[in-house]
Amino acid sequence: KALHKNYLAKHPAIVAWQQLELGKAIRLGVVNAPLGHRRVFFPDSNQVDPSKVYNFGPQSAVAYIVSSAMRELHAAGWDIRINAHDELVLNVPFAQLDEAGVALKAAMERPYALNGKTWVFPIGGLKVGHSWGDMRPWAERASLMEAQ
């Protein structure tokens, strides 16, 4: 809790944004996310959970980005096996590994227009492996392919 308080003390703009968004949720009963989604709340301060208000924008943005990437990859014929919150897992033959990595990165890092600016939300990093438990950083894919 002390770390959180210190962080907010150093970043008063975040506190101002939180108060603005919470006020909108209480007064208007709705919060708008940057990529156009809306969440409706009962306009009563006893019914509005601040953490849900604060988290709605980032969570809806991630959901939108992943959903858009899934549609693009599916249309291109990639075998999507798992969608877990902010991750996509593809089943790819080793011969197509580099091509799949390029396609996945491009789909997940698609530019979006927000408030008159173009934004790219970088992904944390690609991983590769024979199974979920065997995942390695993308840079190690050559050693994985050699072991094949």
Side-chain angles (χ1 to χ4, degrees):
K1 294 235 180 215
L3 180 63
H4 186 246
K5 279 187 177 183
N6 289 338
Y7 180 82
L8 293 177
K10 291 179 183 177
H11 302 282
I14 292 174
V15 175
W17 172 82
Q18 288 178 330
Q19 291 171 346
L20 177 69
E21 291 300 303
L22 188 57
K24 282 193 253 180
I26 292 168
R27 280 189 326 280
L28 306 173
V30 68
V31 175
N32 296 307
L35 295 176
H37 295 93
R38 296 174 58 144
R39 175 153 182 185
V40 176
F41 293 91
F42 292 107
D44 175 351
S45 62
N46 295 328
Q47 299 294 320
V48 177
D49 179 348
S51 67
K52 289 182 181 176
V53 172
Y54 307 151
N55 292 326
F56 174 66
Q59 288 176 346
S60 70
V62 167
Y64 182 84
I65 290 166
V66 171
S67 177
S68 296
M70 286 177 62
R71 286 192 303 275
E72 183 177 327
L73 293 166
H74 176 74
W78 295 107
D79 183 10
I80 302 168
R81 290 296 172 102
I82 299 172
N83 164 20
H85 182 62
D86 61 350
E87 296 181 3
L88 292 176
V89 176
L90 307 181
N91 184 33
V92 178
F94 278 107
Q96 294 179 298
L97 199 55
D98 287 333
E99 182 185 354
V102 169
L104 179 59
K105 186 169 174 50
M108 292 289 281
E109 293 184 343
R110 178 87 40 235
Y112 292 93
L114 295 172
N115 303 322
K117 296 180 183 177
T118 300
W119 297 81
V120 174
F121 303 98
I123 60 175
L126 298 175
K127 292 185 179 180
V128 62
H130 294 288
S131 67
W132 188 268
D134 185 39
M135 292 294 197
R136 300 178 193 178
W138 182 252
E140 296 178 22
R141 70 189 178 283
S143 64
L144 190 65
M145 292 172 76
E146 289 169 4
Q148 186 61 15

